[in-house]
Structure formats: C-alpha cells, structure tokens
Short mmCIF file of all heavy atoms in Angstrom, two decimals:
data_model
loop_
_atom_site.label_atom_id
_atom_site.label_comp_id
_atom_site.label_asym_id
_atom_site.label_seq_id
_atom_site.Cartn_x
_atom_site.Cartn_y
_atom_site.Cartn_z
N PRO N 1 -2.59 8.54 10.26
CA PRO N 1 -1.79 8.29 11.47
C PRO N 1 -2.58 7.60 12.58
O PRO N 1 -3.81 7.67 12.63
CB PRO N 1 -1.35 9.69 11.89
CG PRO N 1 -1.42 10.52 10.66
CD PRO N 1 -2.59 9.97 9.89
N ASP N 2 -1.84 6.94 13.47
CA ASP N 2 -2.41 6.30 14.66
C ASP N 2 -3.46 5.25 14.31
O ASP N 2 -4.54 5.19 14.91
CB ASP N 2 -3.03 7.35 15.60
CG ASP N 2 -2.00 8.37 16.05
OD1 ASP N 2 -0.86 7.98 16.34
OD2 ASP N 2 -2.35 9.57 16.09
N ASP N 3 -3.16 4.41 13.31
CA ASP N 3 -4.07 3.33 12.92
C ASP N 3 -5.45 3.84 12.53
O ASP N 3 -6.47 3.22 12.84
CB ASP N 3 -4.21 2.30 14.05
CG ASP N 3 -3.02 1.36 14.13
OD1 ASP N 3 -2.39 1.10 13.08
OD2 ASP N 3 -2.72 0.90 15.24
N GLY N 4 -5.48 4.98 11.82
CA GLY N 4 -6.76 5.58 11.45
C GLY N 4 -7.63 4.67 10.62
O GLY N 4 -8.85 4.60 10.83
N LEU N 5 -7.03 3.92 9.68
CA LEU N 5 -7.83 3.03 8.84
C LEU N 5 -8.46 1.91 9.66
O LEU N 5 -9.64 1.59 9.50
CB LEU N 5 -6.96 2.45 7.71
CG LEU N 5 -7.68 1.53 6.73
CD1 LEU N 5 -8.85 2.22 6.05
CD2 LEU N 5 -6.68 1.00 5.68
N LYS N 6 -7.67 1.35 10.55
CA LYS N 6 -8.19 0.26 11.39
C LYS N 6 -9.31 0.77 12.30
O LYS N 6 -10.35 0.10 12.46
CB LYS N 6 -7.06 -0.33 12.25
CG LYS N 6 -7.50 -1.50 13.12
CD LYS N 6 -6.32 -2.10 13.87
CE LYS N 6 -6.78 -3.30 14.70
NZ LYS N 6 -5.63 -3.91 15.45
N LYS N 7 -9.15 1.95 12.86
CA LYS N 7 -10.20 2.52 13.72
C LYS N 7 -11.47 2.78 12.92
O LYS N 7 -12.59 2.56 13.40
CB LYS N 7 -9.71 3.82 14.36
CG LYS N 7 -8.62 3.63 15.39
CD LYS N 7 -8.08 4.97 15.88
CE LYS N 7 -6.95 4.78 16.88
NZ LYS N 7 -6.35 6.08 17.29
N THR N 8 -11.30 3.24 11.70
CA THR N 8 -12.46 3.51 10.85
C THR N 8 -13.23 2.24 10.55
O THR N 8 -14.47 2.22 10.60
CB THR N 8 -11.99 4.13 9.51
OG1 THR N 8 -11.18 5.27 9.75
CG2 THR N 8 -13.19 4.55 8.67
N LEU N 9 -12.51 1.16 10.26
CA LEU N 9 -13.14 -0.06 9.77
C LEU N 9 -13.65 -0.99 10.87
O LEU N 9 -14.48 -1.86 10.61
CB LEU N 9 -12.15 -0.83 8.90
CG LEU N 9 -11.80 -0.19 7.55
CD1 LEU N 9 -10.61 -0.89 6.92
CD2 LEU N 9 -13.00 -0.21 6.62
N THR N 10 -13.17 -0.82 12.09
CA THR N 10 -13.56 -1.74 13.17
C THR N 10 -15.08 -1.74 13.36
O THR N 10 -15.69 -0.70 13.58
CB THR N 10 -12.86 -1.35 14.48
OG1 THR N 10 -11.44 -1.46 14.31
CG2 THR N 10 -13.30 -2.26 15.61
N GLY N 11 -15.67 -2.92 13.25
CA GLY N 11 -17.11 -3.07 13.46
C GLY N 11 -17.97 -2.69 12.28
O GLY N 11 -19.20 -2.63 12.40
N ALA N 12 -17.37 -2.46 11.11
CA ALA N 12 -18.14 -2.02 9.94
C ALA N 12 -19.05 -3.12 9.41
O ALA N 12 -18.68 -4.29 9.34
CB ALA N 12 -17.20 -1.56 8.84
N ASP N 13 -20.25 -2.71 9.03
CA ASP N 13 -21.20 -3.62 8.37
C ASP N 13 -21.17 -3.43 6.85
O ASP N 13 -21.37 -4.38 6.09
CB ASP N 13 -22.62 -3.37 8.88
CG ASP N 13 -22.76 -3.65 10.35
OD1 ASP N 13 -22.62 -4.82 10.74
OD2 ASP N 13 -22.99 -2.69 11.13
N ILE N 14 -20.96 -2.19 6.42
CA ILE N 14 -20.93 -1.88 5.00
C ILE N 14 -19.83 -0.85 4.75
O ILE N 14 -19.72 0.13 5.49
CB ILE N 14 -22.30 -1.37 4.51
CG1 ILE N 14 -22.25 -0.98 3.03
CG2 ILE N 14 -22.82 -0.22 5.35
CD1 ILE N 14 -23.63 -0.64 2.45
N VAL N 15 -19.00 -1.10 3.75
CA VAL N 15 -17.88 -0.21 3.43
C VAL N 15 -18.04 0.25 1.98
O VAL N 15 -18.12 -0.58 1.06
CB VAL N 15 -16.52 -0.92 3.59
CG1 VAL N 15 -15.39 0.04 3.23
CG2 VAL N 15 -16.36 -1.45 5.01
N VAL N 16 -18.08 1.56 1.79
CA VAL N 16 -18.19 2.12 0.44
C VAL N 16 -16.87 2.79 0.11
O VAL N 16 -16.33 3.56 0.90
CB VAL N 16 -19.34 3.15 0.35
CG1 VAL N 16 -19.60 3.52 -1.10
CG2 VAL N 16 -20.61 2.60 1.00
N ILE N 17 -16.33 2.48 -1.08
CA ILE N 17 -14.99 2.96 -1.45
C ILE N 17 -15.05 3.87 -2.68
O ILE N 17 -15.02 3.39 -3.82
CB ILE N 17 -14.03 1.79 -1.75
CG1 ILE N 17 -14.08 0.73 -0.64
CG2 ILE N 17 -12.60 2.31 -1.91
CD1 ILE N 17 -13.20 -0.48 -0.91
N PRO N 18 -15.09 5.20 -2.47
CA PRO N 18 -14.96 6.12 -3.59
C PRO N 18 -13.54 6.69 -3.71
O PRO N 18 -13.31 7.61 -4.51
CB PRO N 18 -15.95 7.23 -3.22
CG PRO N 18 -15.88 7.29 -1.73
CD PRO N 18 -15.60 5.87 -1.25
N ALA N 19 -12.60 6.18 -2.95
CA ALA N 19 -11.25 6.75 -2.90
C ALA N 19 -10.55 6.67 -4.24
O ALA N 19 -10.77 5.75 -5.03
CB ALA N 19 -10.42 6.01 -1.85
N GLY N 20 -9.69 7.64 -4.50
CA GLY N 20 -8.90 7.65 -5.72
C GLY N 20 -8.93 9.02 -6.37
O GLY N 20 -9.67 9.91 -5.95
N ILE N 21 -8.14 9.17 -7.42
CA ILE N 21 -8.14 10.45 -8.13
C ILE N 21 -9.29 10.48 -9.12
O ILE N 21 -9.72 9.45 -9.61
CB ILE N 21 -6.81 10.69 -8.86
CG1 ILE N 21 -6.62 9.69 -10.01
CG2 ILE N 21 -5.63 10.63 -7.91
CD1 ILE N 21 -5.56 10.09 -11.01
N PRO N 22 -9.82 11.67 -9.42
CA PRO N 22 -10.90 11.77 -10.40
C PRO N 22 -10.36 11.70 -11.82
O PRO N 22 -9.17 11.89 -12.07
CB PRO N 22 -11.49 13.15 -10.11
CG PRO N 22 -10.34 13.94 -9.60
CD PRO N 22 -9.51 12.96 -8.80
N ARG N 23 -11.26 11.42 -12.74
CA ARG N 23 -10.90 11.40 -14.15
C ARG N 23 -10.72 12.82 -14.66
O ARG N 23 -11.51 13.71 -14.34
CB ARG N 23 -11.99 10.68 -14.94
CG ARG N 23 -11.56 10.24 -16.32
CD ARG N 23 -12.38 9.04 -16.78
NE ARG N 23 -13.80 9.31 -16.75
CZ ARG N 23 -14.55 9.47 -17.84
NH1 ARG N 23 -13.99 9.43 -19.02
NH2 ARG N 23 -15.83 9.68 -17.73
N LYS N 24 -9.70 13.04 -15.49
CA LYS N 24 -9.41 14.36 -16.03
C LYS N 24 -9.60 14.35 -17.55
O LYS N 24 -9.72 13.29 -18.16
CB LYS N 24 -7.97 14.76 -15.67
CG LYS N 24 -7.75 14.86 -14.16
CD LYS N 24 -6.30 15.16 -13.82
CE LYS N 24 -6.10 15.22 -12.30
NZ LYS N 24 -4.69 15.46 -11.93
N PRO N 25 -9.65 15.53 -18.18
CA PRO N 25 -9.87 15.57 -19.64
C PRO N 25 -8.87 14.71 -20.38
O PRO N 25 -7.66 14.74 -20.11
CB PRO N 25 -9.67 17.06 -19.97
CG PRO N 25 -10.04 17.77 -18.71
CD PRO N 25 -9.58 16.89 -17.60
N GLY N 26 -9.37 13.91 -21.32
CA GLY N 26 -8.51 13.04 -22.10
C GLY N 26 -8.13 11.75 -21.42
O GLY N 26 -7.48 10.89 -22.00
N MET N 27 -8.56 11.58 -20.18
CA MET N 27 -8.22 10.39 -19.40
C MET N 27 -9.40 9.42 -19.41
O MET N 27 -10.52 9.79 -19.08
CB MET N 27 -7.89 10.79 -17.96
CG MET N 27 -7.52 9.62 -17.06
SD MET N 27 -7.26 10.14 -15.33
CE MET N 27 -5.68 10.96 -15.47
#
C-alpha cells in the first residue's frame, strides 16, 4: 500500500530479488 514498491526502489543502486514461492517436494 501507499506506493510501497516505489518508495523502496527510489534511489536504489543494487536490487536483489529473492521474491516468490519456495520449491516444494516433487516440484
């Protein structure tokens, strides 16, 4: 909410992206 992603990224020099669901058994 409230442009959280934009606030996070403003002025960034390096962005690391681990976002997403983890791997599960059989996947």
